[in-house]
Amino acid sequence: MSTIQTLLALAGLIYVLCVIVQAAQEVFKALLNMKAKTMAETMTRFMGDHLPLADIRQALQKRGLNLTALEHFDKDDFRQLLDGIPGLEPKLEGVVASQTATFEQMKENVAANYEAARAAFQALYTRRNKLFAIGFSVIIVLVLNANIVVLYQEVGADQVMAQAIAGQAGRVATCPQAKPDAQGSDFQNVYQTNRDCIKKALDANPILVRGGKYGVDWEADKLNTILGLLAMCVLVSLGAPFWNDVLKGLAGINSTLNSNDKKTS
């Protein structure tokens, strides 16, 4: 029973770190306006001179939309967007190889190309998000000195604390993180909400704030310090959804064992 309780608490701590990583990541992405920049880069690469990015931005602005709104456009939506771009026909000449191609056929061709551009954007944005997640996982684990070996030892030695941490994990999951929307959320709002989320997570789990204990850990066991930090970086980089599932599984096992103990007694 105590082992399951310890593992449940440890999974809760890792989950909390994942929430902190997500919150910090959203602030950084909003600061860099990463989604809009990735979309601009992708559209420029796929459309080239045939459809300048400035024309797309202008057509979107007429609808009160940001460039990131293209993420949610399908082929037909983009085709309608083209209808709102004045003086487009000369720019599209040569898009279709046939000299008899009509202006409508040219627009259809560009709209079809947009589908490939959107797929490329999603793949590129996802890849960059994963890299950001790994980078922030390393930074936060190192800043907090979240050594999984030491945390396991401390939680395993205090079952009262283990139960408290396991109970806190579910409440941290409700932390309201702000994300930039298609209109481009105000950075200050994203920053404030996610900063509060990080503070809430750390206040609820003060055992994670171990930055000042680096010297003690290093002197006690250098190898364990290095391996513990590296292992935690890998575990946190798996992401909050993964650890949320682990928490649910361990909580179910813990609940079943508690029920069996009550029946036995």
Side-chain angles (χ1 to χ4, degrees), residues 40-53 56 70 78 82 91-92 95 109-118:
E41 177 185 334
T42 306
M43 294 300 292
T44 299
R45 185 170 69 249
F46 272 80
M47 300 301 175
D49 297 331
H50 299 305
L51 186 57
L53 187 63
I56 300 175
L70 290 176
F78 193 77
L82 294 177
K91 299 176 183 178
L92 296 186
V95 172
N109 186 273
V110 171
N113 200 34
Y114 161 75
E115 285 289 317
R118 187 175 67 155

Side-chain angles (χ1 to χ4, degrees), residues 145-204:
N145 185 21
N147 186 327
I148 191 170
V149 175
V150 176
L151 290 174
Y152 179 81
Q153 292 171 344
E154 292 185 1
V155 172
D158 189 343
Q159 287 301 299
V160 175
M161 179 172 61
Q163 291 177 358
I165 293 172
Q168 286 287 353
R171 286 188 282 276
V172 173
T174 63
C175 188
Q177 295 179 51
K179 298 183 179 181
D181 57 24
Q183 304 297 323
S185 297
D186 177 60
F187 168 71
Q188 290 298 329
N189 176 58
V190 175
Y191 169 75
Q192 183 66 44
T193 302
N194 286 286
R195 188 193 69 173
D196 292 344
C197 177
I198 293 172
K199 184 177 183 300
K200 174 183 175 182
L202 292 177
D203 287 346

